[in-house]
Amino acid sequence: MKIGIPRALLYSIYLPLWKTFLEELGHTVILSNHTDQNILDNGVKNCVDDACLPVKIFHGHVTALAGRTDIILIPRLVSVYPGEFICPKFIGLPEMIKHSVPCNPGIIIMNFNARFSMDRGYDGMRNLGRELGATKDLVAQALDRARIRQAEHMRRMEAEPGFNPVRSIDKKDQKPPRLDQGIIGLIGHPYLVYDRYINMNICDKLNERGYGILFPENIPAESVDRACNRYPKKLFWSYGKRLLGSGLCMLENKLVDGLILLTSFGCGIDAFIDELLIRANHREYKIPLTTITLDEHTGQAGFDTRLEAFIDMMEWRSRYDNHVPTYGTGVYPGKSLI
Amino acid sequence: MTITFPHMGQVYIPVKALFDDLGVPVVVPPPVSNKTLEIGTRIAPEMACLPMKINLGNYIQSMEKGADTIVLTGSCGPCRFGYYGIVEQEILRDQGYHAEIIILDAPGRDPRDLLRKIRKISGNSPWKNIIRAFIQASKIVEQTDKLQGIFLRKRPRELNKGQTDDLQSRFEKQILQCRGSKEVMRLIRSFQVKADGIPERADANPLRIGLVGEIYTLIEPYVNLNIEYKLGYLGAEVHRGITIADWVKTHLSMDRKYKKQRKEKLKKGANYLNLCIGGHAWETIASTVDYADAGMDGVIQILPFGCMPEIVAESIIPSISRNRSLPVMTLTVDELTGEAGYLTRLEAFVDLLSQKKGTVYE
Ligand code: SF4
Ligand code: SF4
C-alpha cells in the first residue's frame, strides 16, 4: 500500500521511526513535498483561523497528499516521554484533520502515548501494524529495526552540533558551517527551525554571515533536564522543556554568542517557555537575544531586516563589551562540543 | 499571612467563607475590571492566555490591599494552566513583588505535599476544623450554583424587565459583607427564595442556548462580556454545562462517583472526540452533542484567543453542527474584544435561531 506522510510538524524528528516501520511491513512511504506557498495557502484555507501556523501548514501537507496515495498517516502524539505531554494540538490533530480537510483517500491514525512507559508508547504502532494486516512477529521485527534507525537519528542530533535532521532525511550532506564569526543558538520547535520555507531560510542566512548554529536537539537530554531543575515544578511539555532547557544550557555554559527565539504567532507553549528563558537571560546572562514571530503574513523583507539588525547588534556588542565567547567548551566536561 | 486568590466568577464566595471560618485573613481581589486587565496585559507575555493576564491583575490589586500569599490550583498538563503558577511567580519576582505563590496540585500518588500546603494556608488550624470548613465551602459552592441557575432561568422570563439583574447585583453587594459560612449560607438561601419569587410572563417561551468552551471564559463574566446577561436580555435561556462545582470536583477532589458520571457524559461525544486533549475541549464536544440531543435551539462556543484545546474543538464543531442541524457560533475573546461588535454577533445569532424556531413551529 502507498502510505502518505505529511512533511510537517514533528516528522523531522520521528520520520526514521515511522518510515522504517512501514517499509519493513512492506508498504511504500510517500512524503508530501517540502513546504511551499501552495501548501501554505491550502493549509490556511482548510484550517480554523485561530490555529497556529505549523498546524495550518500540516493541513496543507495533507491536502497535498490527497490523490497521490492510498491512505494518509496522521500521527497522534500524546506523549513522547513518560510523565510528559506535548502540545494539546498534537493530541487532537487527527480530529482536526478529519473535520476540516476533505480527505480523500482516508486517513489512518498512529497513536504514540508513552505517558506511562516508553515501551507502552510503541503499542500504538504495534496496533497499527496489526490493523495493516501484518503478523505479530513481523510487527515486532519491523519495530525493532525502526527503533534502531530512530536511535541513530537521535544520537546524531545530540552528537553533531548543527546537525540538520531534514538534510539527513533528504540524504544531503551536513554542510560544515563556517564558524569564524561565532555560534548562534536557534531556539524553536523542530517544525520552525528545520523548515526552511517557514523560517525564511534563516539557517543559510546565518551561515552566510559566518555563524554556526546550535539547535535545541543538539543539547543532551540530561543537560536539558538539569537546566530545568531550577523551576519548582517539573515542566510537563517535552518540547517546551527541550526548548527552555537547551536555551538555559547554552546560556549557562556560554555555548553561544546570541540566541534567536523562533516562535509562531499564537503558540501557547512558547508564550510561557520564551518568557521564562527571556527572564532568566535578562537576570543572569545578558547575552544578545531576540524573538522572531512567524505567521502566514511574515514577509521576507521585514524578516531579513530584523535578522540583520540583530546580527549587527551582536557584533557591535562583542566588539565593545570585550565579550569573549568560549567556543568548543563542552556541555559536560571532558567532551568537546565542537 | 494574608491570603488572596484569582477571581473566577463566583468562586470568591466559597473561598472567602472558607478562610473566614478558619480565621485566616483573606483579601478578595477587587472585581475584575478594565484596570485589572490592563495591569495583567502590561506584565504578562503577550501570547499568554487571557485568564492568566487577569489572574496577574487580580494578584497585584490584592497585594495593594495587603495580601502577601497567593493560593491557586494547578494541574499536570497537558494544558498551560498547570504552569500558570510558575510563570506568574517569575513575573511577579521581576516586578519586585515578593508574595509567595502556593499551588494546590490535584493529589497524585503522594498526597502529603498537598496536605502540607493546605495545613499551611489554613494557619495551622487543627484538621478537624479544616475538614469542617471545606465541607461547608463545598455546600456553598453547590448553593451558589443553584442560585445562579435560578437567575439564568428567570432572566428571559421575568415579567418586569431588569428585576433579575437588580436582585443579582444586590446579592453580590451583600455577600461581601458576610463573614463565615453560616452567614453566607443564610444569605444565599434567602436570595434563592427571592429569586424563585420573581414573577414570570405567562407566555414566555424563550430560545434555549447552550454555552460551551473554555471553563474560565465561561464562568468569569468580565471575560465573556457578560454573555449570560446579554443573551438573557435578548430573550434566550442560557444553559451552561460547566459550573464552579464541576471545576472544584475535577481539579481538587477525589470524588470517584463524580469522575465516573463525568466519563459517562463524555462518552456522548465519542464519535467526534474520544480522549482528553487538555483543558475542557472534550467537555465542549460532549456537551455540544448533549445539547443537540436535548433539543436546544443553538450552541455558542467561547474561548480565549490562542486557547490550544478549544481550537481543536473549534475545528470539530462544524461537523456536529452539520450532522445535527444545530446552529453553533464560536466566539474568541481577547483583550481587544469590543463590546459593540460582540453584541451585534449575539443579536444576529439569536435572530437566526428565532427565525429557525419560527419556521419549525408554523
Ligand atoms: S506547540 Fe505551539 S506552534 Fe506547536 S502546535 Fe502547539 S501551539 Fe502550535
Ligand atoms: S485551556 Fe486554554 S485558557 Fe486554559 S490554560 Fe489551556 S490554553 Fe490557556
Side-chain angles (χ1 to χ4, degrees):
Chain A
M1 194 157 50
K2 278 194 286 182
I3 301 181
I5 298 184
R7 212 187 264 268
L9 291 176
L10 289 174
Y11 92 99
S12 58
I13 306 294
Y14 294 107
L15 191 75
L17 180 73
W18 302 340
K19 187 163 176 261
T20 315
F21 180 68
L22 295 171
E23 285 176 350
E24 289 288 329
L25 295 180
H27 302 287
T28 313
V29 169
I30 298 195
L31 291 177
S32 51
N33 295 336
H34 286 282
T35 312
D36 57 22
Q37 189 63 43
N38 195 19
I39 287 179
L40 175 71
D41 290 345
N42 275 326
V44 172
K45 204 165 65 198
N46 284 297
C47 183
V48 285
D49 268 352
D50 287 330
C52 54
L53 181 64
V55 166
K56 286 181 182 161
I57 287 181
F58 188 90
H59 284 61
H61 280 272
V62 174
T63 52
L65 282 169
R68 287 180 53 203
T69 63
D70 298 320
I71 203 152
I72 301 172
L73 182 87
I74 310 290
R76 186 202 298 284
L77 304 178
V78 178
S79 158
V80 293
Y81 195 78
E84 297 177 0
F85 286 102
I86 55 179
C87 170
K89 285 183 202 163
F90 282 86
I91 312 180
L93 191 62
E95 280 75 20
M96 290 186 86
I97 294 296
K98 234 188 277 177
H99 296 281
S100 16
V101 183
C103 240
N104 190 18
I107 63 170
I108 38 168
I109 301 171
M110 182 172 65
N111 289 315
F112 197 91
N113 184 357
R115 187 169 166 215
F116 299 107
S117 83
M118 213 51 210
D119 188 61
R120 278 176 63 186
Y122 295 98
D123 282 351
M125 295 179 71
R126 293 188 184 107
N127 294 341
L128 178 80
R130 303 288 307 210
E131 267 171 53
L132 291 172
T135 64
K136 224 173 165 181
D137 289 344
L138 184 60
V139 169
Q141 188 194 352
L143 191 57
D144 281 346
R145 294 204 175 141
R147 286 175 71 169
I148 293 171
R149 281 283 180 81
Q150 183 64 23
E152 171 62 11
H153 190 63
M154 298 297 230
R155 191 197 61 75
R156 289 191 67 192
M157 282 193 278
E158 279 193 10
E160 298 174 26
F163 177 85
N164 186 327
V166 169
R167 294 188 71 85
S168 159
I169 286 167
D170 292 346
K171 305 214 164 48
K172 286 194 193 141
D173 296 340
Q174 300 290 330
K175 270 192 282 188
R178 280 169 46 203
L179 295 179
D180 45 347
Q181 291 294 334
I183 308 274
I184 289 181
L186 190 58
I187 305 292
H189 291 272
Y191 35 87
L192 295 181
V193 300
Y194 303 124
D195 186 324
R196 45 191 309 215
Y197 187 82
I198 305 184
N199 67 28
M200 308 269 158
N201 207 1
I202 189 171
C203 299
D204 285 354
K205 284 176 184 161
L206 290 174
N207 288 162
E208 270 155 29
R209 296 263 327 225
Y211 288 91
I213 301 172
L214 263 191
F215 296 116
E217 278 69 32
N218 298 145
I219 305 295
E222 313 86 73
S223 310
V224 167
D225 278 336
R226 206 174 324 121
C228 288
N229 278 342
R230 66 166 73 189
Y231 300 102
K233 184 172 169 180
K234 188 179 143 65
L235 260 173
F236 45 73
W237 302 300
S238 302
Y239 281 90
K241 191 177 82 181
R242 175 157 285 281
L243 300 196
L244 179 59
S246 62
L248 288 172
C249 186
M250 290 176 199
L251 293 172
E252 278 168 7
N253 299 291
K254 299 205 175 60
L255 301 176
V256 293
D257 303 276
L259 271 189
I260 299 180
L261 313 187
L262 270 189
T263 174
S264 42
F265 181 73
C267 172
I269 308 275
D270 287 356
F272 279 22
I273 295 303
D274 290 356
E275 178 79 7
L276 293 174
L277 193 54
I278 292 169
R279 284 182 187 275
N281 181 47
H282 191 74
R283 221 180 277 145
E284 292 165 52
Y285 309 103
K286 304 197 191 328
I287 72 156
L289 179 153
T290 190
T291 306
I292 301 186
T293 307
L294 302 164
D295 69 10
E296 53 266 44
H297 311 296
T298 308
Q300 188 73 248
F303 181 89
D304 289 352
T305 319
R306 294 265 336 248
L307 195 62
E308 293 289 323
F310 175 68
I311 297 176
D312 291 345
M313 186 268 278
M314 228 174 67
E315 289 175 354
W316 187 89
R317 265 191 50 178
S318 82
R319 217 168 312 139
Y320 294 97
D321 287 3
N322 201 17
H323 161 80
V324 186
T326 44
Y327 309 138
T329 341
V331 179
Y332 26 72
K335 194 170 168 192
S336 165
L337 192 77
I338 291 157
Chain B
M1 180 177 68
T2 303
I3 297 228
T4 193
F5 54 91
H7 260 307
M8 179 166 94
Q10 281 158 329
V11 164
Y12 69 91
I13 298 174
V15 176
K16 177 174 182 299
L18 178 87
F19 288 115
D20 281 350
D21 279 3
L22 293 168
V24 176
V26 56
V27 173
V28 176
V32 185
S33 64
N34 294 347
K35 182 90 201 302
T36 317
L37 181 59
E38 244 169 59
I39 298 174
T41 312
R42 187 155 41 76
I43 61 177
E46 190 191 341
M47 287 293 147
C49 359
L50 192 56
M52 188 173 116
K53 293 182 181 169
I54 293 182
N55 284 1
L56 280 167
N58 286 151
Y59 304 154
I60 289 187
Q61 287 183 314
S62 289
M63 285 188 284
E64 282 163 4
K65 294 184 145 197
D68 57 20
T69 306
I70 298 163
V71 177
L72 70 151
T73 59
S75 77
C76 287
C79 210
R80 283 189 268 180
F81 181 69
Y83 227 67
Y84 271 19
I86 306 297
V87 179
E88 289 170 351
Q89 177 106 59
E90 289 274 300
I91 294 174
L92 291 180
R93 179 176 150 198
D94 282 350
Q95 293 287 325
Y97 291 98
H98 294 285
E100 187 185 358
I101 297 191
I102 297 180
I103 306 172
L104 302 180
D105 274 314
R109 237 168 269 144
D110 184 11
R112 261 177 311 186
D113 183 51
L114 177 66
L115 295 178
R116 195 177 44 76
K117 285 178 180 164
I118 291 180
R119 191 70 196 273
K120 181 166 176 196
I121 58 172
S122 313
N124 287 321
S125 312
W127 278 112
K128 200 176 76 206
N129 299 5
I130 298 178
I131 292 169
R132 200 187 308 131
F134 269 92
I135 292 177
Q136 289 308 323
S138 63
K139 284 188 187 150
I140 294 175
V141 169
E142 231 166 80
Q143 295 307 320
T144 311
D145 278 344
K146 193 168 155 205
L147 179 61
Q148 281 311 302
I150 306 178
F151 286 145
L152 285 184
R153 218 193 95 78
K154 287 291 179 179
R155 202 169 279 118
R157 293 186 170 83
E158 64 192 5
L159 191 60
N160 313 309
K161 271 267 176 233
Q163 200 177 356
T164 314
D165 281 0
D166 269 0
L167 196 66
Q168 183 158 0
S169 59
R170 250 193 296 149
F171 169 74
E172 278 161 9
K173 249 181 234 124
Q174 290 179 25
I175 194 78
L176 281 173
Q177 311 305 321
C178 294
R179 268 194 74 83
S181 53
K182 275 216 189 78
E183 283 182 29
V184 167
M185 209 56 151
R186 209 175 304 131
L187 190 77
I188 295 179
R189 291 221 196 272
S190 77
F191 271 84
Q192 284 173 348
V193 176
K194 284 182 201 155
D196 265 331
I198 294 177
E200 298 182 15
R201 274 182 293 127
D203 62 340
N205 178 20
L207 292 168
R208 295 191 308 150
I209 297 182
L211 286 189
V212 299
E214 191 277 323
I215 184 163
Y216 184 87
T217 322
L218 282 181
I219 293 182
E220 174 54 49
Y222 175 84
V223 182
N224 62 37
L225 290 94
N226 254 322
I227 191 165
E228 293 178 352
Y229 283 40
K230 290 197 170 95
L231 288 173
Y233 268 120
L234 293 172
E237 181 181 83
V238 178
H239 294 251
R240 154 152 74 75
I242 301 177
T243 61
I244 298 173
D246 290 299
W247 185 82
V248 171
K249 282 180 190 157
T250 30
H251 279 272
L252 283 182
S253 83
M254 289 170 269
D255 187 339
R256 287 254 169 69
K257 200 168 131 229
Y258 172 78
K259 291 204 166 139
K260 209 170 139 224
Q261 281 172 359
R262 182 162 168 259
K263 276 261 154 67
E264 286 295 311
K265 189 184 155 201
L266 290 174
K267 280 210 191 109
K268 287 209 153 191
N271 281 337
Y272 298 95
L273 180 70
N274 201 15
L275 80 171
C276 172
I277 61 166
H280 286 75
W282 200 1
E283 271 90 350
T284 297
I285 296 301
S287 312
T288 306
V289 175
D290 195 28
Y291 287 143
D293 288 346
M296 295 269 174
D297 297 297
V299 165
I300 297 179
Q301 183 205 15
I302 174 158
L303 63 142
F305 175 78
C307 175
M308 302 182 285
E310 290 299 329
I311 289 174
V312 176
E314 187 189 351
S315 29
I316 301 173
I317 282 180
S319 296
I320 309 179
S321 168
R322 208 174 321 116
N323 296 347
R324 306 296 302 263
S325 26
L326 174 76
V328 182
M329 176 169 73
T330 295
L331 291 172
T332 308
V333 294
D334 65 12
E335 52 268 45
L336 304 173
T337 306
E339 182 91 11
Y342 189 80
L343 188 59
T344 318
R345 291 196 61 191
L346 288 183
E347 280 169 354
F349 189 65
V350 169
D351 272 352
L352 175 100
L353 297 190
S354 29
Q355 273 169 23
K356 189 164 175 258
K357 190 168 183 170
T359 43
V360 169
Y361 279 93
E362 249 170 23

